[in-house]
Amino acid sequence: MLLPQFDPVAFSIGPLVVRWYALAYILGLLGGWCYARRLAANARLWPAHLKAPTPEQLDDLLVYAAFGVVIGGRLGFAFFYHPGYFLENPLEIVQVWKGGMAFHGGLFGAGVAVFLWARRNGLNPFSMLDIAAAVAPLGLMLGRIANFVNGELWGRVSDVPWAFIFPAAGPLPRHPSQLYEAATEGLLLLVVLAVVVRKDGFAHPGRIAGLFGMGYAATRIFCEFFREPDRHLGFLAGGWVTMGMVLSVPMALVGFWLYARAGKNPVTA
């Protein structure tokens, strides 16, 4: 089926133009902020000896996380996917309005921002990473839906009944891999982490973040088998290894380390 031609602009107010992708980032951050406030306010989830963030602190954290996502995502896009071009044109790195963000870079930037913010505010950094990880899949889901609406980051050629023809990708039908990612990296991971949080709370600082790291890596690698690799990179090895897979491996390893560390360092009530 042919992908409907969506306007990339969600709405405009005078000279202010808001695109779907930017709207997804905004809604993801705001939705995650609201969810984080609910988690922090639920005393049942927090052992007595573990300090939960206040609503005012979470307001501050939102700003840190937003800057971390944008800075890390932009730097990741520049140096993971187009290093040659941006080394020759370094001033264009800051021109974020031209588009181009990398999730793995954004995740790293957000993680660093959350960790530093927690240390500065006297909170357990690993617990704050847990809160951030629990809400992150919401933004992922919205971002992938925005990719689908924009007709970008499409899948590989396929004859499955639900394949779409993406006008910018040529006349052949393709997997809607953006929706696969929205369903697995986003919705599925959001539900799984919510179940774990509801069961164990934050008694093992770093466990939720570790599960997120491993879960995202696994679902991203799975979806990469349906997603068209970046045209300028292609397959990196073996006719099937992509940059998304490669960048997901260290993420899985860090997630495993966080999960293992959390098991050895529980916070008792």
Side-chain angles (χ1 to χ4, degrees), residues 1 6 24 26 31 63 113 115 134 136 141 157-158 160 168 185 209-210 228:
M1 66 187 81
F6 296 103
I26 294 170
V63 177
F115 198 92
M141 180 176 65
V157 173
S158 172
V160 296
E185 302 164 7
E228 184 75 11

Side-chain angles (χ1 to χ4, degrees), residues 36-128:
R37 285 171 67 103
R38 290 186 60 183
L39 293 176
N42 189 341
R44 185 185 65 81
L45 302 177
W46 297 86
H49 299 297
L50 187 62
K51 183 181 178 183
T54 66
E56 292 75 21
Q57 286 175 322
L58 287 176
D59 295 347
D60 192 26
L61 177 59
L62 176 66
V63 177
Y64 272 72
F67 274 104
V69 167
V70 173
I71 295 172
R74 185 61 175 170
L75 290 176
F77 176 77
F79 295 112
F80 293 156
Y81 292 95
H82 299 275
Y85 176 80
F86 283 102
L87 284 175
E88 293 180 359
N89 304 275
L91 293 180
E92 290 199 24
I93 294 176
V94 300
Q95 298 177 18
V96 294
W97 56 88
K98 290 187 175 181
M101 299 282 284
F103 170 77
H104 293 88
L107 176 70
F108 179 78
V112 170
V114 169
F115 198 92
L116 293 177
W117 174 88
R119 294 286 295 271
R120 179 182 179 184
N121 286 271
L123 296 167
N124 187 309
F126 294 97
S127 295
M128 296 305 100

Side-chain angles (χ1 to χ4, degrees), residues 91-237:
L91 293 180
E92 290 199 24
I93 294 176
V94 300
Q95 298 177 18
V96 294
W97 56 88
K98 290 187 175 181
M101 299 282 284
F103 170 77
H104 293 88
L107 176 70
F108 179 78
V112 170
V114 169
F115 198 92
L116 293 177
W117 174 88
R119 294 286 295 271
R120 179 182 179 184
N121 286 271
L123 296 167
N124 187 309
F126 294 97
S127 295
M128 296 305 100
L129 288 175
D130 283 341
I131 288 186
V135 306
L138 178 62
L140 280 171
M141 180 176 65
L142 294 173
R144 294 310 182 193
I145 292 173
N147 290 148
F148 178 75
V149 171
N150 286 345
E152 61 191 8
L153 304 182
W154 48 75
R156 303 183 193 181
V157 173
S158 172
D159 59 358
V160 296
W162 55 87
F164 282 84
I165 296 174
F166 295 90
L172 298 177
R174 296 173 176 272
H175 282 287
S177 57
Q178 312 97 322
L179 300 183
Y180 301 170
E181 293 187 77
T184 55
E185 302 164 7
L187 182 59
L188 176 62
L189 202 50
L190 182 69
V191 171
V192 169
L193 294 181
V195 170
V196 176
V197 169
R198 185 176 181 84
K199 180 178 182 294
D200 295 327
F202 298 103
H204 299 81
R207 173 172 285 183
I208 304 301
L211 285 172
F212 171 79
M214 292 186 290
Y216 176 83
T219 53
R220 176 64 183 267
I221 290 172
F222 169 76
C223 290
E224 285 288 313
F225 284 102
F226 303 96
R227 178 174 166 173
E228 184 75 11
D230 296 274
R231 185 172 300 174
H232 67 288
L233 293 176
F235 294 108
L236 302 185

